[in-house]
Protein backbone atom coordinates (compact mmCIF):
# COMPACT_ATOMS: atom_id res chain seq x y z
CA UNK A 1 0.00 0.00 0.00
CA UNK A 2 0.98 3.68 0.41
CA UNK A 3 3.04 3.04 3.55
CA UNK A 4 5.09 0.38 1.77
CA UNK A 5 5.80 2.69 -1.13
CA UNK A 6 6.90 5.41 1.23
CA UNK A 7 9.79 3.34 2.48
CA UNK A 8 10.79 1.88 -0.87
CA UNK A 9 14.45 2.76 -1.33
CA UNK A 10 17.49 0.88 -2.50
CA UNK A 11 18.32 -1.95 -0.13
CA UNK A 12 22.01 -1.08 0.09
CA UNK A 13 21.28 2.57 0.87
CA UNK A 14 18.92 1.75 3.73
CA UNK A 15 21.42 -0.70 5.20
CA UNK A 16 24.11 1.94 5.20
CA UNK A 17 21.89 4.58 6.79
CA UNK A 18 20.76 2.24 9.58
CA UNK A 19 24.26 1.00 10.25
CA UNK A 20 25.67 4.51 10.29
CA UNK A 21 23.14 5.51 12.94
CA UNK A 22 24.12 2.45 14.98
CA UNK A 23 27.83 3.13 14.64
CA UNK A 24 28.46 3.65 18.34
CA UNK A 25 27.25 0.21 19.38
CA UNK A 26 27.83 -1.94 16.30
CA UNK A 27 31.50 -1.12 15.93
CA UNK A 28 32.28 -2.96 19.15
CA UNK A 29 31.24 -6.26 17.54
CA UNK A 30 33.38 -6.02 14.39
CA UNK A 31 36.49 -8.14 14.32
CA UNK A 32 39.71 -6.67 12.91
CA UNK A 33 39.65 -7.06 9.13
CA UNK A 34 43.40 -7.39 8.63
CA UNK A 35 45.52 -6.27 5.75
CA UNK A 36 42.84 -7.04 3.14
CA UNK A 37 40.92 -3.98 4.24
CA UNK A 38 43.78 -1.62 3.46
CA UNK A 39 44.05 -3.21 0.01
CA UNK A 40 40.35 -2.72 -0.64
CA UNK A 41 40.49 0.90 0.46
CA UNK A 42 43.73 1.84 -1.27
CA UNK A 43 42.17 3.35 -4.41
CA UNK A 44 39.64 5.46 -2.51
CA UNK A 45 42.30 6.64 -0.07
CA UNK A 46 44.68 7.60 -2.89
CA UNK A 47 41.87 9.64 -4.42
CA UNK A 48 41.27 11.36 -1.09
CA UNK A 49 44.95 12.22 -0.72
CA UNK A 50 45.06 13.62 -4.26
CA UNK A 51 41.97 15.72 -3.51
CA UNK A 52 43.54 17.12 -0.34
CA UNK A 53 46.84 17.93 -2.03
CA UNK A 54 45.00 19.65 -4.87
CA UNK A 55 43.47 22.09 -2.39
CA UNK A 56 45.70 25.08 -3.07
CA UNK A 57 43.70 27.77 -1.28
CA UNK A 58 45.22 29.63 1.68
CA UNK A 59 43.97 27.11 4.25
CA UNK A 60 44.49 23.98 2.20
CA UNK A 61 47.92 24.38 0.64
CA UNK A 62 49.77 24.37 3.96
CA UNK A 63 47.74 21.51 5.40
CA UNK A 64 47.69 18.90 2.65
CA UNK A 65 46.41 15.49 3.65
CA UNK A 66 45.87 15.48 7.43
CA UNK A 67 44.39 12.38 9.03
CA UNK A 68 45.79 12.07 12.59
CA UNK A 69 43.19 9.48 13.64
CA UNK A 70 43.66 7.30 10.56
CA UNK A 71 39.95 7.48 9.68
CA UNK A 72 40.70 7.09 5.96
CA UNK A 73 42.00 3.58 6.63
CA UNK A 74 38.82 2.39 8.30
CA UNK A 75 36.18 0.06 6.91
CA UNK A 76 33.05 0.74 8.95
CA UNK A 77 31.50 -2.55 10.13
CA UNK A 78 33.65 -4.52 7.64
CA UNK A 79 31.01 -4.00 4.95
CA UNK A 80 33.51 -3.15 2.21
CA UNK A 81 35.66 -6.19 2.86
CA UNK A 82 32.52 -8.35 2.92
CA UNK A 83 31.45 -6.95 -0.43
CA UNK A 84 28.19 -5.51 0.90
CA UNK A 85 29.32 -1.99 0.07
CA UNK A 86 31.70 -0.91 -2.72
CA UNK A 87 35.29 0.15 -2.13
CA UNK A 88 35.51 3.67 -0.74
CA UNK A 89 32.07 3.65 0.92
CA UNK A 90 33.55 4.60 4.30
CA UNK A 91 35.58 7.43 2.78
CA UNK A 92 32.48 8.60 0.90
CA UNK A 93 30.58 8.63 4.19
CA UNK A 94 33.32 10.59 5.96
CA UNK A 95 33.65 13.12 3.12
CA UNK A 96 29.89 13.68 3.04
CA UNK A 97 29.80 14.07 6.83
CA UNK A 98 32.57 16.68 6.77
CA UNK A 99 30.86 18.71 4.04
CA UNK A 100 27.52 18.54 5.84
CA UNK A 101 28.94 19.48 9.23
CA UNK A 102 30.88 22.31 7.61
CA UNK A 103 27.71 23.73 6.09
CA UNK A 104 25.88 23.55 9.42
CA UNK A 105 28.83 25.16 11.19
CA UNK A 106 28.96 28.04 8.68
CA UNK A 107 25.27 28.74 9.29
CA UNK A 108 25.80 28.46 13.05
CA UNK A 109 28.82 30.77 13.07
CA UNK A 110 27.13 33.47 11.00
CA UNK A 111 23.94 33.11 13.03
CA UNK A 112 25.86 33.41 16.28
CA UNK A 113 27.59 36.62 15.13
CA UNK A 114 24.34 38.15 13.86
CA UNK A 115 22.31 37.34 16.96
CA UNK A 116 25.11 38.32 19.37
CA UNK A 117 25.09 41.79 17.83
CA UNK A 118 21.36 42.22 18.45
CA UNK A 119 20.31 41.90 14.80
CA UNK A 120 16.88 40.35 14.33
CA UNK A 121 13.62 40.80 12.44
CA UNK A 122 11.74 44.04 13.19
CA UNK A 123 8.91 42.03 14.72
CA UNK A 124 9.06 39.82 17.82
CA UNK A 125 10.66 36.58 16.57
CA UNK A 126 8.86 34.37 19.10
CA UNK A 127 6.79 34.75 22.29
CA UNK A 128 9.08 35.44 25.22
CA UNK A 129 11.84 36.98 23.10
CA UNK A 130 14.20 39.12 25.19
CA UNK A 131 16.70 41.67 23.90
CA UNK A 132 20.35 41.43 24.89
CA UNK A 133 20.65 37.69 25.39
CA UNK A 134 23.57 35.74 24.02
CA UNK A 135 22.77 33.05 21.39
CA UNK A 136 22.77 30.11 23.89
CA UNK A 137 20.55 32.10 26.26
CA UNK A 138 18.19 32.92 23.42
CA UNK A 139 17.99 29.23 22.55
CA UNK A 140 17.20 28.45 26.19
CA UNK A 141 14.39 31.01 26.08
CA UNK A 142 12.64 29.17 23.24
CA UNK A 143 9.63 27.05 24.24
CA UNK A 144 10.42 23.30 24.13
CA UNK A 145 7.97 22.72 21.28
CA UNK A 146 9.74 25.36 19.19
CA UNK A 147 13.08 23.62 19.75
CA UNK A 148 11.73 20.24 18.80
CA UNK A 149 10.13 21.50 15.62
CA UNK A 150 13.57 22.63 14.45
CA UNK A 151 14.95 19.14 14.88
CA UNK A 152 11.92 17.43 13.35
CA UNK A 153 12.33 19.59 10.26
CA UNK A 154 16.05 18.84 10.15
CA UNK A 155 15.24 15.14 10.44
CA UNK A 156 12.87 15.35 7.47
CA UNK A 157 15.53 17.03 5.34
CA UNK A 158 18.08 14.45 6.45
CA UNK A 159 15.76 11.57 5.53
CA UNK A 160 15.07 13.05 2.09
CA UNK A 161 18.78 13.45 1.41
CA UNK A 162 19.61 9.89 2.50
CA UNK A 163 16.67 8.05 0.93
CA UNK A 164 16.32 9.96 -2.33
CA UNK A 165 19.85 11.01 -3.34
CA UNK A 166 20.59 12.97 -6.49
CA UNK A 167 22.21 10.24 -8.54
CA UNK A 168 24.14 7.52 -6.73
CA UNK A 169 24.28 7.55 -2.94
CA UNK A 170 27.60 8.91 -1.64
CA UNK A 171 28.39 5.52 -0.07
CA UNK A 172 27.74 3.72 -3.34
CA UNK A 173 30.03 5.78 -5.53
CA UNK A 174 28.07 9.04 -5.76
CA UNK A 175 29.44 12.52 -5.20
CA UNK A 176 29.64 13.54 -1.50
CA UNK A 177 27.83 16.71 -0.48
CA UNK A 178 25.15 16.58 -3.18
CA UNK A 179 21.57 17.17 -1.97
CA UNK A 180 18.52 16.27 -4.08
CA UNK A 181 16.40 19.00 -5.60
CA UNK A 182 13.24 19.91 -3.70
CA UNK A 183 11.93 22.23 -6.38
CA UNK A 184 12.13 19.51 -9.04
CA UNK A 185 11.91 16.12 -7.26
CA UNK A 186 13.66 13.14 -8.79
CA UNK A 187 11.65 10.19 -10.05
CA UNK A 188 12.18 8.12 -6.92
CA UNK A 189 11.02 10.90 -4.60
CA UNK A 190 7.95 11.64 -6.72
CA UNK A 191 6.93 7.98 -7.10
CA UNK A 192 7.08 7.24 -3.36
CA UNK A 193 4.39 9.75 -2.54
CA UNK A 194 6.43 11.81 -0.08
CA UNK A 195 6.56 14.97 -2.19
CA UNK A 196 3.99 17.54 -0.92
CA UNK A 197 1.32 18.69 -3.33
CA UNK A 198 2.24 22.36 -2.85
CA UNK A 199 5.88 21.77 -3.84
CA UNK A 200 8.83 23.91 -2.80
CA UNK A 201 9.63 27.42 -4.12
CA UNK A 202 13.40 26.87 -3.99
CA UNK A 203 16.03 24.21 -3.46
CA UNK A 204 17.89 23.77 -0.20
CA UNK A 205 21.14 23.68 -2.17
CA UNK A 206 21.70 26.52 -4.66
CA UNK A 207 18.30 28.20 -4.03
CA UNK A 208 19.05 31.03 -6.49
CA UNK A 209 20.36 28.73 -9.22
CA UNK A 210 23.66 30.59 -9.48
CA UNK A 211 25.94 27.57 -8.92
CA UNK A 212 24.42 25.64 -11.82
CA UNK A 213 25.48 28.41 -14.19
CA UNK A 214 29.15 28.33 -13.20
CA UNK A 215 31.87 26.68 -15.25
CA UNK A 216 33.31 23.36 -14.07
CA UNK A 217 36.54 25.11 -13.05
CA UNK A 218 34.66 27.56 -10.84
CA UNK A 219 32.55 24.78 -9.37
CA UNK A 220 35.67 22.81 -8.48
CA UNK A 221 37.23 25.81 -6.76
CA UNK A 222 33.94 26.52 -5.02
CA UNK A 223 33.94 23.03 -3.54
CA UNK A 224 37.44 23.56 -2.16
CA UNK A 225 36.46 26.93 -0.71
CA UNK A 226 33.37 25.38 0.89
CA UNK A 227 35.43 22.67 2.60
CA UNK A 228 38.00 25.19 3.87
CA UNK A 229 35.37 27.61 5.14
CA UNK A 230 33.41 24.76 6.73
CA UNK A 231 36.47 23.55 8.62
CA UNK A 232 37.19 27.05 9.86
CA UNK A 233 33.55 27.57 10.87
CA UNK A 234 33.54 24.34 12.89
CA UNK A 235 36.52 25.62 14.84
CA UNK A 236 34.90 29.04 15.15
CA UNK A 237 31.52 27.99 16.57
CA UNK A 238 33.17 25.59 19.04
CA UNK A 239 35.51 28.38 20.10
CA UNK A 240 32.53 30.61 20.95
CA UNK A 241 30.79 27.89 22.96
CA UNK A 242 33.99 26.74 24.69
CA UNK A 243 34.80 30.24 25.87
CA UNK A 244 31.26 30.75 27.14
CA UNK A 245 31.39 27.47 29.06
CA UNK A 246 34.96 27.84 30.41
CA UNK A 247 36.27 31.39 30.69
CA UNK A 248 39.81 31.56 29.34
CA UNK A 249 39.49 28.42 27.23
CA UNK A 250 39.93 30.59 24.13
CA UNK A 251 42.03 33.58 25.30
CA UNK A 252 41.35 35.53 22.11
CA UNK A 253 37.62 35.57 22.95
CA UNK A 254 37.90 36.27 26.68
CA UNK A 255 35.84 39.34 27.46
CA UNK A 256 34.15 39.28 24.04
CA UNK A 257 31.56 36.61 24.77
CA UNK A 258 29.35 36.29 27.82
CA UNK A 259 30.45 33.64 30.37
CA UNK A 260 27.85 30.92 30.87
CA UNK A 261 29.34 28.30 33.21
CA UNK A 262 26.02 26.43 33.40
CA UNK A 263 25.75 26.14 29.61
CA UNK A 264 24.78 22.65 28.43
CA UNK A 265 25.79 23.04 24.79
CA UNK A 266 26.01 19.29 24.23
CA UNK A 267 22.68 18.58 25.88
CA UNK A 268 20.13 20.99 24.38
CA UNK A 269 17.13 18.97 25.55
CA UNK A 270 17.90 18.42 29.20
CA UNK A 271 15.53 19.00 32.10
CA UNK A 272 12.35 20.84 31.19
CA UNK A 273 13.29 20.76 27.49
CA UNK A 274 12.94 16.98 27.25
CA UNK A 275 10.30 15.18 25.21
CA UNK A 276 8.06 14.86 28.28
CA UNK A 277 7.78 18.66 28.46
CA UNK A 278 5.93 18.74 25.14
CA UNK A 279 3.03 16.54 26.24
Amino acid sequence: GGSAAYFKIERETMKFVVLALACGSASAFVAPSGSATSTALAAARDELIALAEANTDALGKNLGFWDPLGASKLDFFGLELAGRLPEGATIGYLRHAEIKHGRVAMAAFVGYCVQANGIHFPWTPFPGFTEGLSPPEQWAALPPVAKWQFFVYIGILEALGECFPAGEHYALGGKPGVYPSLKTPNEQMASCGVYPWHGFPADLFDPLGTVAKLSEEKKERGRRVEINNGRLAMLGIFAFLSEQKVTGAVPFLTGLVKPLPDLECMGPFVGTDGVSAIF
Side-chain angles (χ1 to χ4, degrees):
S3 60
Y6 181 88
F7 294 100
K8 183 181 179 183
I9 64 173
E10 293 183 5
R11 184 179 179 182
E12 293 83 358
T13 302
M14 177 58 82
K15 285 181 179 179
F16 188 83
V17 173
V18 173
L19 288 170
L21 292 175
C23 177
S25 57
S27 59
F29 300 93
V30 178
S33 54
S35 59
T37 301
S38 60
T39 302
L41 297 176
R45 189 170 186 272
D46 289 344
E47 180 183 351
L48 184 64
I49 293 174
L51 179 67
E53 293 177 346
N55 192 338
T56 57
D57 286 347
L59 288 175
K61 66 180 180 181
N62 296 320
L63 188 61
F65 181 70
W66 191 64
D67 183 19
L69 299 180
S72 62
K73 299 178 182 179
L74 299 177
D75 175 10
F76 284 1
F77 320 112
L79 296 179
E80 293 178 48
L81 181 63
R84 296 170 65 185
L85 283 175
E87 294 181 15
T90 299
I91 289 179
Y93 169 80
L94 294 173
R95 287 181 60 191
H96 186 81
E98 179 185 32
I99 293 171
K100 180 162 54 177
H101 284 80
R103 290 169 178 169
V104 172
M106 286 188 280
F109 183 83
V110 173
Y112 188 105
C113 293
V114 169
Q115 199 280 329
N117 284 278
I119 302 173
H120 59 79
F121 293 113
W123 57 84
T124 301
F126 60 89
F129 173 77
T130 304
E131 292 277 4
L133 296 181
S134 66
E137 290 175 312
Q138 205 65 267
W139 170 263
L142 282 172
V145 173
K147 296 179 182 179
W148 279 102
Q149 77 175 359
F150 277 118
F151 279 84
V152 169
Y153 181 66
I154 292 171
I156 292 173
L157 294 178
E158 182 76 2
L160 289 176
E162 290 291 333
C163 298
F164 308 104
E168 288 291 329
H169 192 274
Y170 55 81
L172 301 176
K175 184 182 295 184
V178 176
Y179 192 83
S181 173
L182 298 178
K183 190 175 181 180
T184 307
N186 58 39
E187 182 178 346
Q188 189 181 20
M189 187 186 300
S191 64
C192 286
V194 300
Y195 191 76
W197 62 268
H198 54 72
F200 291 90
D203 284 326
L204 182 65
F205 179 76
D206 191 22
L208 301 179
T210 55
V211 176
K213 300 176 182 178
L214 298 177
S215 65
E216 286 302 318
E217 292 77 11
K218 290 184 177 180
K219 287 181 181 178
E220 182 180 355
R221 184 182 184 279
R223 287 191 286 269
R224 293 199 303 267
V225 170
E226 179 184 40
I227 290 176
N228 290 337
N229 290 342
R231 290 169 176 170
L232 191 59
M234 285 187 276
L235 294 174
I237 189 61
F238 267 97
F240 279 139
L241 297 178
S242 297
E243 178 61 29
Q244 286 199 273
K245 178 67 175 179
V246 181
T247 302
V250 185
F252 178 76
L253 295 175
T254 302
L256 296 178
V257 296
K258 185 177 181 179
L260 294 174
D262 296 327
L263 172 65
E264 293 288 349
C265 55
M266 301 305 291
F269 295 112
V270 297
T272 57
D273 290 337
V275 179
S276 59
I278 300 178
F279 306 100

